[in-house]
């Protein structure tokens, strides 16, 4: 195969794949529209898909950091879980230790 034929073949294959990619993109848009029509939020579905693509450990680390930042900004106090944590923390008993308890 000559160089001209090789480059032509490569370009044609890429063009065909680009057409297929565009068609798949349209199919995905239709599925999101269907989801929206059924009462689902497409932005949230996109976030779920992105989370599912992540490694479980990486996802857990990012969620822990996000929770830490949100807590530092007081954004978790208004959630049921945050309110329960605050209530539990304020009701817990403080234990006093003598200096010689650790000797």
């Amino acid at each position: 195969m000559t160089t001209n034929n090789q480059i032509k073949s490569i370009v044609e294959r890429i063009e065909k794949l680009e057409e297929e990619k565009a068609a798949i993109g349209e199919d995905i848009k239709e599925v999101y529209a269907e989801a929206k029509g059924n009462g689902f939020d497409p932005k949230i579905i996109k976030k779920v898909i992105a989370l599912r693509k992540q490694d479980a450990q990486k996802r857990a680390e990012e969620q822990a950091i996000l929770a830490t930042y949100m807590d530092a900004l007081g954004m978790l106090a208004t959630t049921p879980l945050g309110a329960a944590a605050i209530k539990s923390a304020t009701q817990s008993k403080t234990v006093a230790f003598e200096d010689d308890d650790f000797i």
Side-chain angles (χ1 to χ4, degrees):
M1 186 181 268
T2 65
T3 304
N4 290 347
N5 288 341
Q6 283 179 323
I7 190 69
K8 182 180 177 184
S9 173
I10 290 169
V11 168
E12 287 174 349
R13 286 175 31 217
I14 292 171
E15 289 172 338
K16 183 176 188 265
L17 291 169
E18 289 290 342
E19 288 173 10
E20 291 173 9
K21 184 169 92 172
I24 290 171
E26 287 300 317
D27 291 344
I28 291 170
K29 285 181 186 179
E30 289 176 16
V31 174
Y32 280 118
E34 178 185 340
K36 185 174 183 176
N38 288 322
F40 297 105
D41 187 334
K43 285 192 275 185
I44 301 302
I45 291 173
K46 287 178 185 179
K47 287 183 181 183
V48 169
I49 290 169
L51 288 170
R52 286 172 52 107
K53 286 180 184 179
Q54 283 184 331
D55 174 68
Q57 183 177 355
K58 176 76 171 163
R59 182 175 59 241
E61 288 172 8
E62 287 183 10
Q63 288 176 340
I65 293 169
L66 177 62
T68 301
Y69 290 2
M70 290 177 68
D71 184 45
L73 296 169
M75 296 173 67
L76 293 181
T78 59
T79 66
L81 183 58
I86 291 169
K87 181 179 177 184
S88 175
T90 58
Q91 291 178 350
S92 66
K93 296 178 182 173
T94 305
V95 177
F97 292 99
E98 299 285 328
D99 285 340
D100 47 335
D101 286 344
F102 296 101
I103 296 176

